[in-house]
Amino acid sequence: MTEQDTGTPRTERPRKLVCVIYVSKVAESMDDEALAELVDECRSNNERHGVTGILLYGDGCFIQAIEGEDETVRSLLESIDDDARQTDITILQDIPIKERSFGEWTMGFSNLDRLDTSQYPELERLGKVCLEPAYFETASISPLDLLLTFQRSIL
């Protein structure tokens, strides 16, 4: 009888969770209907794969946080890289996490072009948020903290 045949339970390795935050530009302008279709697609795919996160859109750019098991997130990033709707994808943060920050959502979403930040004092202090990678080189807030601010204030 081999060790595998003894019925000794195997302990599974704990799965490594990661949070990846990236920015990108839309390849072609997207109206509200196209954005809604994209968000629905994200939510469906994320639910199927156990991924959570948040997506913000503004001025033809996206910032997205994706949380999940490392292998699953890497596979999803490959799909995103192949998606013709986005270009100039830049990873801003790629960090291991102990727990999810956006675990309640398959994909939280906000269209910054339609948002009146004066209604949200915490956001108003951020001023006009630019989703270009260069913005985060000099911003006083990290990409994750920016997304968490939106989560607490709006979504």
Side-chain angles (χ1 to χ4, degrees), residues 15-83:
R15 306 260 181 174
K16 179 181 169 189
L17 289 176
V18 296
C19 177
V20 175
I21 301 172
Y22 74 89
V23 291
S24 65
K25 295 179 182 173
V26 296
E28 295 180 14
S29 83
M30 297 182 86
D31 61 14
D32 289 343
E33 186 177 328
L35 285 169
E37 288 175 17
L38 175 68
V39 171
D40 287 345
E41 183 182 322
C42 288
R43 288 177 175 156
S44 177
N45 288 336
N46 289 356
E47 184 173 5
R48 188 171 40 258
H49 297 290
V51 173
T52 56
I54 185 172
L55 174 68
L56 302 180
Y57 171 82
D59 290 333
C61 296
F62 291 109
I63 183 168
Q64 182 172 18
I66 305 168
E67 303 171 320
E69 294 179 2
D70 188 38
E71 198 172 295
T72 303
V73 169
R74 303 287 166 221
S75 177
L76 181 56
L77 286 170
E78 287 179 23
S79 297
I80 290 168
D81 196 40
D82 292 338
D83 189 334

Side-chain angles (χ1 to χ4, degrees), residues 128-140:
K128 175 80 170 128
V129 174
C130 176
L131 301 183
E132 296 283 339
Y135 170 80
F136 293 98
E137 292 173 11
T138 59
S140 61

Side-chain angles (χ1 to χ4, degrees), residues 106-138:
T106 52
M107 185 55 58
F109 174 74
S110 186
N111 182 340
L112 303 179
D113 293 341
R114 304 269 185 260
L115 184 66
D116 178 8
T117 57
S118 67
Q119 298 176 25
Y120 307 96
E122 195 170 359
L123 296 179
E124 195 171 28
R125 73 176 172 77
L126 294 174
K128 175 80 170 128
V129 174
C130 176
L131 301 183
E132 296 283 339
Y135 170 80
F136 293 98
E137 292 173 11
T138 59

